[in-house]
Amino acid sequence: MYFSGSLLTTEEPPGREGCAVVLGQKPRSAAQQRHSVTATVSKMAGADGDDSLYPIAVLIDELRNEDVQLRLNSIKKLSTIALALGVERTRTELLPFLTDTIYDEDEVLLALAEQLGNFTMLVGGPEYVHCLLPPLESLATVEETVVRDKAVESLRKISQEHSPVDLEVHFEPLVKRLASGDWFTSRTSACGLFSVCYPRVSSTVKAEIRQHFRTLCSDDTPMVRRAAASKLGEFAKVLEPEYVKSDIISLFTALASDEQDSVRLLAVEACVSIATLLPQEDLETLVMPTLRQAAEDKSWRVRYMVADKFSELQKAVGSEITKNDLVPAFQNLLKDCEAEVRAAAANKVKEFCENLPEDNREQIIMTHILPCVKELVSDTNQHVKSALASVIMGLSTILGKDNTIEHLLPLFLAQLKDECPEVRLNIISNLDCVNEVIGIRQLSQSLLPAIVELAEDAKWRVRLAIIEYMPLLAGQLGVEFFDEKLNTLCMAWLIDHVYAIREAATCNLMKLVEKFGAEWAQNTIVPKVLGMANDPNYLHRMTTLFCINALSEACGQEITTKQMLPVVLKMSNDQVANVRFNVAKSLQKIGPVLDSNALQTEVKPVLEKLATDSDMDVKYFAQEAISVLALA
């Protein structure tokens, strides 16, 4: 079979060595490469010498090039090569070649592992999908973790395309070979494949798979036990209920007591899946002893994992166990000696409280959780305080108005005065929760100093963050409070020395006008913005133009034509070219808002003048504006 034009034909031309020879050689120099491409094209094109096949020939030849980037490029276009070769030659020549060359750079192997997962139709469909197993098996044993993971991902994908018979004949033996491999790399890869083939094989093979998984859970190498622990929950989900109790629980207990904390913390993840599979009466005896042990583990990483998964564990074990066991455990995590654990637990406070049984939710929070929260508000670690500040406002909707005013409000006020900007910012960003319950006026006097401090913070990212919350605050505080206390602040951001702040402040004005209306803008914002047109700093003059661009649509035709347009036209005489070409861009932006008379009599003459400007950029943008506004 060879290429004739763009079609495959079964005739074989004289002297054809075929692609197997082309593919099967070692990497060569660039000079050899150029010579070989020509030879490859002539062989592939046959008697017609059709140059349309040249790109395919180049890709095939690049698979053997000594340049890593060229090989990577070719691997990423492997499907194109396979389409050109056809399904039979892809199976008999391309795949064996790829299998034999699994010695390449990691980035090439990663791309290959990804490509092979989408190759089913290119080898002839599900009937021949097993042909993809040899190269993927080799990739699943390499040293680089990301390559192995990608190979396992592709194997899991193509396993679904195997028929039950092919799964037992081809796929399951591969899993066994990986599971009993000499190197830990193959055994770690095997852990990710048990769950995808288990449901579709015979009971005899299922027993063998369970045995292999048990063996890997007690492997001598920690990396293998870690891989097994990470897949324990997933494997438990596909097992029959009787084997969850007889096999999985003992493996879970063993892994949760492993000498390596990296294994124990992964067992905590599995605990969520296992708990959902067991009836409520078995949880207390089979799961809770191990979970209690994990919550008090000597390693902070394990305790951190318990804190991080706490809401999921809470849902899995149910309300009764939550009341008796998880509430005390959560209290301990909130008081943990390690800041990372306290921060993870603090992050779950709102979610944990929401999921408590409604009949005694308020009593549990007030008696057990709130005292711990009060301590965390003055924690020595800023990450803990910041994590708490991001969720604490949510408690107000759970506890109601009276409890919020009496117990939570003092905590909010304390956090608004915190020395850490992130804490203050997190409180301000969640004000809408409190506004729903008690109204924001209760906080307004403490809010103002916190907002002003954040608005003037030395870190520009903090200033940027508070700008983004300004429309939300304005809507909650009302127009009078805003004009009195915050308007000056918003205008000051327009002349900040950081461009990102000036840009955000411009967007902020547009959102405020949308919230408060065009009349408010005309009286309060527009005069101040237009006053900046005479600023000695050209950057501030440009900010005027940016504001006009943003405000024109929200303010409407009348305000734009009568108040904004004259200022823009006057600025066309500015000495700085950057200002002049931004005038052209502004006229293009506000043009659709103006009526045709203003465009013809006022805008067109100015753009025509700018189109003859000495500066190239000014000319370009003026001509573009004339074209877009159809003023030519």
Side-chain angles (χ1 to χ4, degrees):
M1 190 180 287
Y2 75 102
F3 279 90
S4 176
S6 59
L7 300 172
L8 282 164
T9 175
T10 53
E11 289 182 25
E12 196 164 304
R16 171 195 176 276
E17 286 85 25
C19 240
V21 176
V22 175
L23 293 174
Q25 295 168 5
K26 301 284 184 188
R28 291 120 338 117
S29 67
Q32 291 172 313
Q33 171 76 2
R34 284 192 296 274
H35 171 76
S36 181
V37 170
T38 311
T40 305
V41 174
S42 63
K43 287 169 189 168
M44 290 177 67
D48 297 337
D50 184 352
D51 281 348
S52 66
L53 295 172
Y54 188 85
I56 303 297
V58 171
L59 288 174
I60 290 176
D61 229 54
E62 282 176 355
L63 284 172
R64 303 173 288 114
N65 196 288
E66 60 187 11
D67 186 329
V68 173
Q69 197 55 47
L70 287 176
R71 295 202 302 278
L72 183 60
N73 174 59
S74 193
I75 287 289
K76 286 181 177 176
K77 294 175 180 172
L78 209 53
S79 57
T80 308
I81 297 173
L83 276 170
L85 288 172
V87 294
E88 187 178 334
R89 291 184 68 189
T90 296
R91 292 196 302 268
T92 58
E93 296 176 20
L94 182 58
L95 289 178
F97 164 73
L98 293 171
T99 307
D100 291 341
T101 54
I102 308 286
Y103 61 86
D104 213 323
E105 301 290 334
D106 292 335
E107 56 188 325
V108 177
L109 297 181
L110 178 63
L112 177 58
E114 184 173 9
Q115 289 287 317
L116 290 175
N118 303 312
F119 244 57
T120 303
M121 299 317 294
L122 298 171
V123 295
E127 187 182 349
Y128 295 100
V129 72
H130 60 84
C131 296
L132 296 171
L133 297 180
L136 283 170
E137 181 177 355
S138 298
L139 289 165
T141 63
V142 300
E143 194 172 346
E144 179 54 50
T145 307
V146 290
V147 177
R148 290 202 311 271
D149 289 348
K150 186 57 74 175
V152 169
E153 185 184 316
S154 291
L155 282 167
R156 288 167 67 94
K157 190 174 181 181
I158 67 171
S159 71
Q160 306 304 319
E161 291 159 345
H162 282 70
S163 67
V165 174
D166 282 345
L167 203 67
E168 285 202 22
V169 174
H170 299 288
F171 196 88
E172 197 267 338
L174 173 146
V175 177
K176 285 182 184 174
R177 286 194 299 275
L178 289 174
S180 52
D182 292 335
W183 290 93
F184 80 89
T185 52
S186 70
R187 301 199 298 277
T188 56
S189 293
C191 295
L193 298 174
F194 290 120
S195 61
V196 292
C197 60
Y198 186 88
R200 298 170 61 210
V201 294
S202 64
S203 54
T204 310
V205 177
K206 282 182 176 180
E208 292 175 12
I209 290 174
R210 291 196 302 274
Q211 182 54 49
H212 277 294
F213 192 79
R214 276 197 297 272
T215 304
L216 293 179
C217 284
S218 56
D219 195 277
D220 292 338
T221 311
M223 284 81 85
V224 177
R225 298 200 302 277
R226 193 156 60 226
S230 70
K231 298 297 178 185
L232 183 65
E234 181 185 286
F235 189 50
K237 287 179 182 176
V238 299
L239 255 61
E240 296 81 358
E242 63 268 27
Y243 295 120
V244 173
K245 281 188 186 182
S246 63
D247 288 22
I248 294 296
I249 293 298
S250 58
L251 296 177
F252 167 60
T253 307
L255 290 168
S257 308
D258 195 276
E259 60 184 22
Q260 298 280 332
D261 64 353
S262 60
V263 177
R264 297 200 300 275
L265 66 87
L266 289 168
V268 173
E269 272 193 80
C271 182
V272 177
S273 301
I274 294 167
T276 57
L277 298 171
L278 292 170
Q280 193 68 31
E281 59 271 18
D282 289 333
L283 287 174
E284 182 57 50
T285 53
L286 299 179
V287 173
M288 287 314 297
T290 308
L291 185 55
R292 289 188 200 104
Q293 174 188 313
E296 297 171 359
D297 197 279
K298 61 184 177 183
S299 167
W300 71 267
R301 290 181 180 84
V302 179
R303 301 197 303 276
Y304 173 90
M305 184 60 79
V306 174
D308 191 52
K309 299 288 176 187
F310 214 83
S311 301
E312 295 166 54
L313 289 166
Q314 181 187 9
K315 289 174 187 173
V317 300
S319 57
E320 200 56 41
I321 291 176
T322 294
K323 279 191 289 187
N324 298 335
D325 283 278
L326 295 196
V327 170
F330 193 60
Q331 284 178 283
N332 291 335
L333 292 169
L334 288 169
K335 296 175 183 176
D336 198 274
C337 58
E338 289 291 340
E340 286 86 351
V341 179
R342 295 199 302 279
N347 221 9
K348 300 291 177 185
V349 164
K350 178 194 170 188
E351 217 176 325
F352 179 75
C353 293
E354 277 177 338
N355 294 330
L356 287 168
E358 282 188 37
D359 55 344
N360 53 3
R361 178 191 293 163
E362 188 178 318
Q363 183 257 323
I364 292 173
I365 295 172
M366 299 301 293
T367 311
H368 301 289
I369 306 300
L370 200 59
C372 301
V373 168
K374 286 178 179 175
E375 288 178 29
L376 292 180
V377 167
S378 54
D379 197 277
T380 53
N381 186 285
Q382 69 177 47
H383 299 295
V384 176
K385 292 188 290 186
S386 183
L388 181 66
S390 66
V391 297
I392 191 173
M393 308 292 267
L395 292 179
S396 55
T397 53
I398 299 170
L399 290 175
K401 184 174 181 178
D402 294 339
N403 283 325
T404 297
I405 292 172
E406 186 180 347
H407 298 285
L408 295 180
L409 196 57
L411 304 182
F412 301 156
L413 296 174
Q415 287 178 305
L416 278 170
K417 295 172 187 171
D418 196 275
E419 61 187 17
C420 174
E422 283 80 10
V423 175
R424 302 197 297 273
L425 204 55
N426 283 344
I427 288 292
I428 289 169
S429 66
N430 289 287
L431 281 173
D432 50 332
C433 301
V434 178
N435 195 30
E436 289 171 20
V437 181
I438 62 170
I440 210 166
R441 289 284 169 182
Q442 297 267 12
L443 281 171
S444 59
Q445 292 312 309
S446 297
L447 262 180
L448 196 60
I451 292 168
V452 171
E453 275 187 48
L454 289 167
E456 297 169 351
D457 196 274
K459 295 176 187 169
W460 69 268
R461 291 182 194 279
V462 175
R463 301 200 298 278
L464 184 64
I466 191 65
I467 292 173
E468 289 169 358
Y469 292 119
M470 196 52 71
L472 172 73
L473 286 169
Q476 292 172 349
L477 290 165
V479 66
E480 289 177 17
F481 185 93
F482 181 84
D483 282 346
E484 184 187 341
K485 309 288 187 183
L486 299 177
N487 196 343
T488 311
L489 210 55
C490 289
M491 299 310 296
W493 282 323
L494 291 171
I495 55 172
D496 195 279
H497 64 278
V498 177
Y499 173 73
I501 301 296
R502 298 198 299 274
E503 184 183 38
T506 304
C507 295
N508 173 49
L509 286 186
M510 181 180 69
K511 290 173 184 171
L512 290 172
V513 172
E514 288 170 357
K515 200 170 279 288
F516 292 149
E519 189 181 337
W520 172 82
Q522 186 176 8
N523 298 328
T524 313
I525 295 293
V526 174
K528 293 178 180 176
V529 167
L530 298 182
M532 289 166 58
N534 301 314
D535 196 288
N537 187 329
Y538 85 95
L539 293 172
H540 299 167
R541 299 200 296 278
M542 281 168 61
T543 302
T544 298
L545 293 170
F546 299 151
C547 288
I548 289 171
N549 294 349
L551 296 176
S552 59
E553 198 173 332
C555 288
Q557 188 181 84
E558 188 180 349
I559 296 172
T560 303
T561 307
K562 290 183 178 177
Q563 291 183 254
M564 296 182 187
L565 182 60
V567 173
V568 177
L569 297 175
K570 183 183 173 187
M571 291 174 77
S572 66
N573 298 314
D574 200 283
Q575 292 179 340
V576 179
N578 284 33
V579 176
R580 295 199 302 279
F581 80 64
N582 272 292
V583 166
K585 290 169 80 172
S586 289
L587 289 173
Q588 180 181 324
K589 175 74 178 171
I590 69 173
V593 181
L594 304 171
D595 60 37
S596 56
N597 182 48
L599 281 172
Q600 290 296 332
T601 59
E602 298 182 70
V603 173
K604 186 177 178 180
V606 169
L607 285 175
E608 285 175 342
K609 184 186 78 173
L610 291 174
T612 60
D613 197 276
S614 57
D615 186 274
M616 287 174 59
D617 292 327
V618 177
K619 273 190 206 175
Y620 171 80
F621 286 111
Q623 287 164 357
E624 187 182 66
I626 290 170
S627 172
V628 170
L629 297 173
L631 296 174

